[in-house]
Amino acid sequence: MTAINDLVSYEAKGTVGVVTVNSPPVNALSQGVRAGILGGIQAGIADDSVSALVLTCAGRTFIAGADITEFGKPPREPSLKEVIDTMEASTKPVVAAIHGTALGGGLETALGCHYRVAVASAKVGLPEVKLGLLPGAGGTQRLPRVVGVPIALDLITSGEHVPAPKAHKLGLIDELIDGDLVAGAIAFAKKIVAEGRPLVKISDQNEKLEEARKNPSLFADFRKANARRFRGFEAPENCIKAIEAAVNLPFPQALARERELFLELLAGEQAKAQQYIFFAERQAAKIPDVPADTPLIDIKSAGVIGAGTMGGGIAMNFLQAGIPVTIVETSQEALDRGIDIIRKNYTATVAKGRLTQEKMDGYMSLLTGTTNLEGVRDADIVIEAIFENMDVKKEVFTKLDRICKQGAILATNTSTLDIDEIGSVTSRPDYVIGLHFFSPANVMKLLEEVRTKKTSATVMATCMALAKKIGKIPVMVRVCDGFVGNRMLAKRTEQAQKLILEGAKIEDVDRVLYDFGFPMGPFAMGDLAGNDVSWRIRQGKGVKSPVADAICELGRFGQKTNAGYYRYEARSRTPIPDPVVEEIIEKVAKEQGVTRRPITDEEILKRCIYPMINEAAKILEEGIATRASDIDVIWVYGYGWPVYRGGPTRYADYIGVEKIYNDLLRFKETLGGEEWTPTPLLEKLAKEGKSFKDL
Ligand code: T1G
């Protein structure tokens, strides 16, 4: 074994030279890794004792991409292009041996090899678009040549990971290896030499591009079909342009075009914001006062109390992770209804071809329904998802504390109530935690985990690890009214309600926030979620919201009643402005003596967003959130804040904290109201010319 450098080694194993990368955690293509691979390949080419080469990685995965931490720094030789060109030009076949996740530059490196083998558990993909980029080392040129333009367009603009068996069917992987990967790759290398198989240079293959050339509307059709999905993002369009170049230009020129389009994105604000969220998501998983080696509780089974919309969605997350669930309802009728909704959800996914019937049956086989709370006595974690009422929750937690085994975690899905108070009725407050899922619970990625004053480190560490296992992105916060997400949302809602009283049209407020990048505006969102949900919460707190209350008193709960802030034709989700609501607004404005006036889009946007940023600063002052970036993760994954704007605090840094501070003061002067007083932390940042990222 020869060490090429401290990250890459070369060893001749019989007649095959093996280049091994060993650069934890994910063998990212740092400068050292690139130099090491280049040196290893050159050593193998020069080694007369070998007739083929294998490129493999030690540790958990094949190369998982370029080293994102190097972005923004001056490029250093050798470039990935040089490494790939050297492999492709090799006179000896180079075989990539893939395990784990060969992603981005990792897959591009493998595509520069003549052949690729993988274990069945491996996955491959080009997820650069999720970082606001495009595959910048030939991926947009080589992938279409292997799988065809239509599939390449889907894979590159979605960034999805492709399991090795499917990649094998697509021709991306030449052979699936059973057993030891390196041994299998060496055997494969020997086989292709013995058979005299050609040195397959993907860059020379053009058959698949010819097929695309016969379909002139291919790209226009793809753009049209995905316009909504790509709305606001810059990277998908550049991905499409790079693939178009593959079809229309010779390889060298197309590669140069890919580079141009890549550098354009790399320099842009969107890529920086998306990479910021990539690291913020991972940073959020680290809790400063919970050591990384805290022992975890083994969660082998779960209980869910309540089979309503939330309980059913929560249960699905566990079923899909292979964790058996006992779901409890108060009546057989409610239980049957809840389980039927779960079944219908899966059936719909099977019908769309996104789930096999076999997998669905497997999930459903893990689900047990009961009307007896005793059914969760042996569960390792029980999540309560019942009516949002403190007395009812306290009653259930008192019973669960008596029923559940020692060491079981008792979690509540409450979105507003005080979890310290809920835990206080149990003998195990250190085993009580908030697990705030977002509706639909089986879809939304965010899991806002809420620690009480007594939640133990083991319970927190267990629930953070559990979140990943059930496919969620966890952020740990502390107890306050609305925790982090809903507390900030309340500020946006308050302003939205004031804006429509003061003269803004409902559809204008929704349009401004939709154009900012949210999936929909606050009023359309209310109609979708059901205006009665927040109405009940307001009633529970004795809080009034004149317009919102008025429409609910008319039974206008939203889409489910074909009328809310908007009206809806039967079986349609298209919001239609409704004069009835306009009249309600004008009546309330008159009763409150509000003088209505035209309101600009700029004022709508600032009044909806800036109070949220001010509240974020308060949340940080109070220690409710650990980091500003944690707040951004919550808003991107829980409320659809456009990821290409990085989240509320990163957006504040982009606009400039001082500008926001000055606008808050201006609104306080023109509109009045304590809600416009900048919080001390925001004032401090503004006056010191600092940003949230400096915290
Ligand atoms: N660069 C640097 N660090 C990375 C990294 C990367 N590409 N990927 C992961 N890490 C770190 C991560 O920050 C964490 O660090 C640790 O590794 C474990 O990651 C030229 C330009 C591979 C599926 O987009 O999707 O190639 O917090 O917690 O859940 O065209 O990491 O421990 O200090 O996520 O098991 C394209 C990004 C790059 C893949 C593993 N590649 N990574 O998931 O572990 S751009 C990607 C992932 C590119 C080329 C272009 C995941 C993973 P720490 P983790 P995981």
Side-chain angles (χ1 to χ4, degrees):
M1 168 94 78
T2 309
I4 303 297
N5 61 22
D6 56 349
L7 301 172
V8 181
S9 63
Y10 170 77
E11 182 180 7
K13 293 191 173 187
T15 58
V16 176
V18 180
V19 177
T20 305
V21 180
N22 186 8
S23 179
V26 295
N27 291 310
L29 284 159
S30 61
Q31 187 278 338
V33 167
R34 298 195 303 272
I37 294 173
L38 182 62
I41 295 293
Q42 288 167 337
I45 292 169
D47 183 348
D48 294 336
S49 73
V50 303
S51 54
L53 300 177
V54 163
L55 172 63
T56 186
C57 291
R60 63 202 283 200
T61 178
F62 189 79
I63 300 162
D67 185 339
I68 308 173
T69 62
E70 283 188 354
F71 289 166
K73 295 172 186 165
R76 292 166 59 205
E77 297 301 317
S79 69
L80 184 53
K81 181 180 183 304
E82 185 183 347
V83 174
I84 291 171
D85 288 351
T86 304
M87 289 193 299
E88 200 172 50
S90 163
T91 52
K92 299 176 182 177
V94 184
V95 177
I98 297 170
H99 71 295
T101 48
L103 300 174
L107 178 56
E108 290 174 302
T109 300
L111 290 172
C113 297
H114 303 100
Y115 293 92
R116 287 149 298 282
V117 299
V119 290
S121 59
K123 290 183 179 174
V124 299
L126 294 174
E128 288 88 339
V129 70
K130 291 182 178 174
L131 297 173
L133 299 171
L134 56 78
T140 64
Q141 306 304 307
R142 289 189 174 88
L143 188 68
R145 284 175 162 82
V146 176
V147 303
V149 171
I151 292 175
L153 279 168
D154 276 335
L155 292 182
I156 291 173
T157 58
S158 69
E160 70 177 78
H161 300 181
V162 182
K166 181 178 175 186
H168 182 229
K169 287 199 180 87
L170 291 173
L172 262 178
I173 300 290
D174 297 291
E175 187 162 291
L176 293 174
I177 303 295
D178 284 330
D180 182 81
L181 173 62
V182 174
I186 289 171
F188 179 85
K190 286 178 177 172
K191 182 172 67 176
I192 58 170
V193 169
E195 292 170 357
R197 281 209 219 165
L199 291 178
V200 178
K201 292 171 72 171
I202 291 176
S203 54
D204 290 342
Q205 294 179 349
N206 291 302
E207 306 76 53
K208 300 277 187 182
L209 301 182
E210 278 309 320
E211 286 168 24
R213 291 182 189 118
K214 292 171 193 156
N215 177 3
S217 69
L218 190 155
F219 288 98
D221 296 347
F222 183 79
R223 285 186 170 98
K224 188 160 176 261
N226 292 282
R228 192 168 177 79
R229 185 158 66 101
F230 299 155
R231 180 175 68 92
F233 287 92
E234 292 163 357
E237 177 53 25
N238 277 28
C239 289
I240 296 168
K241 283 178 181 163
I243 298 167
E244 270 179 319
V247 174
N248 301 326
L249 296 172
F251 186 81
Q253 286 89 321
L255 206 59
R257 179 68 179 134
E258 175 193 79
R259 186 79 188 145
E260 270 172 33
L261 292 162
F262 172 80
L263 292 175
E264 194 179 289
L265 292 171
L266 187 64
E269 180 55 32
Q270 289 201 358
K272 294 181 180 69
Q274 290 178 243
Q275 290 153 35
Y276 160 82
I277 285 293
F278 173 86
F279 287 112
E281 189 185 310
R282 286 153 179 80
Q283 192 68 358
K286 295 162 187 166
I287 308 171
D289 61 335
V290 175
D293 60 356
T294 300
L296 305 181
I297 298 164
D298 186 9
I299 302 295
K300 296 188 294 297
S301 66
V304 174
I305 314 301
T309 307
M310 291 307 288
I314 292 168
M316 290 173 73
N317 293 312
F318 286 86
L319 299 176
Q320 285 149 215
I323 299 173
V325 174
T326 298
I327 193 162
V328 185
E329 254 298 351
T330 49
S331 72
Q332 192 60 46
E333 189 260 339
L335 178 65
D336 293 346
R337 187 170 59 244
I339 290 176
D340 194 44
I341 289 171
I342 293 173
R343 185 178 293 105
K344 279 184 179 147
N345 272 338
Y346 284 138
T347 303
T349 310
V350 170
K352 289 174 193 158
R354 293 212 304 262
L355 180 70
T356 63
Q357 187 60 51
E358 183 191 4
K359 266 193 175 284
M360 171 182 162
D361 297 342
Y363 296 161
M364 293 307 291
S365 71
L366 294 174
L367 182 62
T368 304
T370 177
T371 57
N372 181 349
L373 213 49
E374 291 285 341
V376 297
R377 63 182 311 106
D378 296 326
D380 299 308
I381 185 169
V382 177
I383 300 165
E384 165 272 315
I386 60 176
F387 189 57
E388 194 71 350
N389 173 286
M390 181 58 87
D391 293 339
V392 173
K393 289 188 190 291
K394 280 181 171 179
E395 185 188 344
V396 166
F397 269 78
T398 303
K399 291 176 182 173
L400 289 174
D401 187 39
R402 175 173 46 75
I403 292 168
C404 295
K405 67 182 181 184
Q406 278 311 308
I409 296 172
L410 304 183
T412 172
N413 174 56
T414 184
S415 56
T416 59
L417 300 175
D418 182 331
I419 303 169
D420 282 294
E421 190 177 339
I422 293 173
S424 69
V425 303
T426 72
S427 64
R428 63 178 94 185
D430 51 342
Y431 273 68
V432 171
I433 191 169
L435 293 183
H436 178 210
F437 289 84
F438 284 73
S439 183
N442 55 307
V443 173
M444 293 303 283
K445 300 295 280 181
L446 178 67
L447 179 54
E448 202 175 32
E449 303 202 3
V450 190
R451 60 190 289 178
T452 70
K453 296 183 181 70
K454 297 188 173 169
T455 306
S456 72
T458 290
V459 168
M460 285 192 273
T462 298
C463 289
M464 293 298 269
L466 178 64
K468 272 192 89 166
K469 182 165 186 183
I470 62 173
K472 297 301 177 189
I473 293 166
V475 181
M476 187 65 73
V477 301
R478 293 176 188 271
V479 175
C480 71
D481 184 6
F483 312 135
V484 170
N486 283 347
R487 176 168 160 179
M488 290 168 65
L489 179 65
K491 295 301 175 187
R492 189 182 81 176
T493 304
E494 181 183 8
Q495 284 307 313
Q497 290 291 335
K498 288 187 173 181
L499 281 160
I500 58 173
L501 278 184
E502 295 173 28
K505 289 197 172 306
I506 283 179
E507 56 271 25
D508 289 339
V509 174
D510 277 355
R511 170 180 51 78
V512 166
L513 289 173
Y514 177 82
D515 289 348
F516 180 78
F518 285 101
M520 60 182 74
F523 298 106
M525 176 59 82
D527 279 358
L528 175 67
N531 300 309
D532 50 324
V533 175
S534 45
W535 185 39
R536 276 205 303 273
I537 291 172
R538 286 198 303 278
Q539 288 174 320
K541 293 180 175 178
V543 170
K544 295 290 180 201
S545 180
V547 172
D549 294 345
I551 66 165
C552 285
E553 280 149 20
L554 292 174
R556 295 176 70 107
F557 297 156
Q559 291 185 20
K560 59 187 171 186
T561 55
N562 288 333
Y565 286 102
Y566 298 94
R567 69 178 178 79
Y568 301 84
E569 303 291 354
R571 289 179 303 287
S572 165
R573 290 174 173 269
T574 306
I576 303 167
D578 189 342
V580 169
V581 177
E582 267 304 303
E583 284 161 26
I584 291 172
I585 292 169
E586 283 163 11
K587 178 169 175 291
V588 171
K590 197 170 179 184
E591 287 165 359
Q592 295 193 0
V594 174
T595 307
R596 290 166 66 75
R597 60 184 168 88
I599 297 182
T600 64
D601 288 359
E602 183 190 2
E603 180 176 344
I604 289 173
L605 183 64
K606 288 183 176 180
R607 286 181 58 179
C608 285
I609 301 293
Y610 290 6
M612 287 172 48
I613 291 167
N614 199 29
E615 198 65 22
K618 283 181 192 158
I619 283 166
L620 289 167
E621 279 169 344
E622 296 167 17
I624 299 294
T626 306
R627 308 174 190 86
S629 59
D630 285 4
I631 295 172
D632 292 340
V633 171
I634 285 171
W635 266 83
V636 164
Y637 290 108
Y639 298 83
W641 181 285
V643 66
Y644 54 80
R645 295 188 193 274
T649 74
R650 176 164 169 99
Y651 178 71
D653 290 353
Y654 171 71
I655 295 292
V657 173
E658 187 177 7
K659 283 185 186 167
I660 293 173
Y661 171 74
N662 291 333
D663 273 333
L664 289 171
L665 292 179
R666 210 180 342 275
F667 283 130
K668 182 166 185 176
E669 202 178 298
T670 55
L671 301 169
E674 265 317 296
E675 71 260 34
W676 297 110
T677 303
T679 191
L681 174 60
L682 201 79
E683 182 172 19
K684 183 173 184 292
L685 290 176
K687 291 192 170 167
E688 293 174 2
K690 289 194 174 163
S691 304
F692 280 97
K693 74 175 183 313
D694 299 322
L695 292 176

